[in-house]
Amino acid sequence: MSTTRSQVERAGRRVAPGLEVLARFGYASKGVLYGTVGFLALSLALGDGGTTTTTKGALLHLQDLPAGRVLLWLLMVGLVGYALWQLLQAVLDPEHQGTEAKGLAKRAGYLISGGLYLTLAVFSARLAAQGSAPYVQNSQAQTASKVLHLPGGQLLLGLAGVVLLAVAADQLYSAYSAKFMKRMAFTDVGAQYQGTLKRIGQVGVAARGLLLTIMGIFLLVAAWRDQASIVVSTSGAMGWLRHQPAGQFLLGAVALGTLCYGVWCVIQALYRRIKVLN
């Protein structure tokens, strides 16, 4: 038994460097997607074309760039890497979140995140291979409709809204306290500009938290009214902001924040502490 365990540990140590590289490439790929979402929304707010979209929509826009299909294949690899990293965090718990309620909640979040990014990787691969892939602008509303048709569907959708609001609150607190910095290891140029990079992270994470808050509130309203069409995606949340008083300013601020979130993901690719083994 001890021999088998030691063999597993040796195998893990051999693949760990490759998994770390893949995880870092994943953070960079995630940064490209959110950076694209933020850039397109900021262009719309400034009256220079642009649109509000989701990460899948960002892939559709990136497809139209020169060498777009090559970029999609690279992003697919990165998104698989990020998904694997999230699944490793959920199952193996290399960062020691633990088995108490808070730790299990975080690990469940990693599991869901891994599944979502794996789905996004498949979408990117299909888009690169076939030039098209099934895409629904507000697929969240379709999913919500299916949930509402289940026994206790309104309660389930309401719980999903509460969970999303809890995640949003954690993001906003993380932005305020900059607690994400404890996972970073800045060196060289990064160490010189650590304060600036911290601010970029705070702005980016805050924007992400705000969008999740809007989405969570719409989920609760949809559950209360038993109406799935109320549910919004990231694109819908940005669109809602745009139609509020001073909407162009609000959209511009959140779009800039989302762009910062994309940059922060790239910063994590460079400087985040990534531990793939216990």
Side-chain angles (χ1 to χ4, degrees), residues 90-104:
V91 177
L92 300 182
D93 193 24
E95 296 187 343
H96 305 291
Q97 300 293 345
T99 56
E100 296 182 356
K102 184 177 179 180
L104 289 175

Side-chain angles (χ1 to χ4, degrees), residues 7-21:
Q7 289 174 338
V8 171
E9 289 176 348
R10 284 197 299 270
R13 283 192 291 271
R14 284 197 296 269
V15 301
L19 290 175
E20 180 182 342
V21 170

Side-chain angles (χ1 to χ4, degrees), residues 181 184-198 264 267 270-273:
M181 292 293 287
M184 308 299 288
F186 291 106
T187 57
D188 304 324
V189 176
Q192 295 178 34
Y193 296 97
Q194 181 172 329
T196 300
L197 298 181
K198 172 186 171 182
W264 177 245
I267 293 169
L270 296 172
Y271 298 112
R272 194 189 194 282
R273 292 188 182 94

Side-chain angles (χ1 to χ4, degrees), residues 17-49:
L19 290 175
E20 180 182 342
V21 170
L22 200 56
R24 293 191 186 282
F25 190 35
Y27 274 108
S29 299
K30 182 181 176 183
V32 170
L33 291 187
Y34 279 99
T36 301
V37 171
F39 174 78
L40 290 171
L42 186 60
S43 298
L44 178 62
L46 294 175
D48 189 25

Side-chain angles (χ1 to χ4, degrees), residues 23-273:
R24 293 191 186 282
F25 190 35
Y27 274 108
S29 299
K30 182 181 176 183
V32 170
L33 291 187
Y34 279 99
T36 301
V37 171
F39 174 78
L40 290 171
L42 186 60
S43 298
L44 178 62
L46 294 175
D48 189 25
T51 185
T52 60
T53 190
T54 62
T55 48
K56 282 188 176 181
L59 287 170
L60 289 169
H61 281 84
L62 291 171
Q63 180 190 28
D64 296 330
L65 294 177
R69 287 197 174 186
V70 175
L71 178 58
L72 288 178
W73 282 120
L74 290 173
L75 289 173
M76 182 274 293
V77 174
L79 291 169
V80 169
Y82 186 78
L84 287 176
W85 165 236
Q86 295 291 281
L87 294 173
L88 277 172
Q89 285 184 295
V91 177
L92 300 182
D93 193 24
E95 296 187 343
H96 305 291
Q97 300 293 345
T99 56
E100 296 182 356
K102 184 177 179 180
L104 289 175
K106 281 185 172 292
R107 291 170 68 179
Y110 293 143
L111 188 64
I112 294 170
S113 175
L116 290 175
Y117 279 96
L118 199 56
T119 301
L120 198 57
V122 171
F123 181 84
S124 183
R126 293 184 66 176
L127 203 56
Q130 303 172 10
S132 63
Y135 174 63
V136 179
Q137 181 67 27
N138 192 5
S139 60
Q140 288 85 348
Q142 286 192 353
T143 303
S145 179
K146 293 177 181 177
V147 171
L148 286 175
H149 282 88
L150 295 173
Q154 283 183 269
L155 178 60
L156 291 173
L157 197 63
L159 287 174
V162 170
V163 169
L164 196 57
L165 286 175
V167 173
D170 181 69
Q171 293 273 285
L172 292 171
Y173 175 72
S174 180
Y176 171 76
S177 64
K179 67 177 185 178
F180 50 75
M181 292 293 287
K182 66 184 180 182
R183 296 190 293 268
M184 308 299 288
F186 291 106
T187 57
D188 304 324
V189 176
Q192 295 178 34
Y193 296 97
Q194 181 172 329
T196 300
L197 298 181
K198 172 186 171 182
R199 294 288 180 260
I200 291 173
Q202 287 181 298
V203 172
V205 174
R208 184 69 182 147
L210 177 59
L211 287 174
L212 290 176
T213 298
I214 295 170
M215 293 163 66
I217 291 172
F218 272 88
L219 262 176
L220 288 178
V221 174
W224 177 261
R225 296 185 180 177
D226 194 17
Q227 190 174 345
S229 60
I230 294 175
V231 175
V232 298
S233 62
T234 301
S235 174
M238 287 183 171
W240 179 81
L241 283 172
R242 188 187 180 205
H243 289 94
Q244 303 310 302
Q248 291 297 101
F249 171 78
L250 291 174
L251 175 61
V254 172
L256 182 60
T258 303
L259 184 57
C260 285
Y261 185 72
V263 173
W264 177 245
C265 289
V266 175
I267 293 169
Q268 289 185 91
L270 296 172
Y271 298 112
R272 194 189 194 282
R273 292 188 182 94

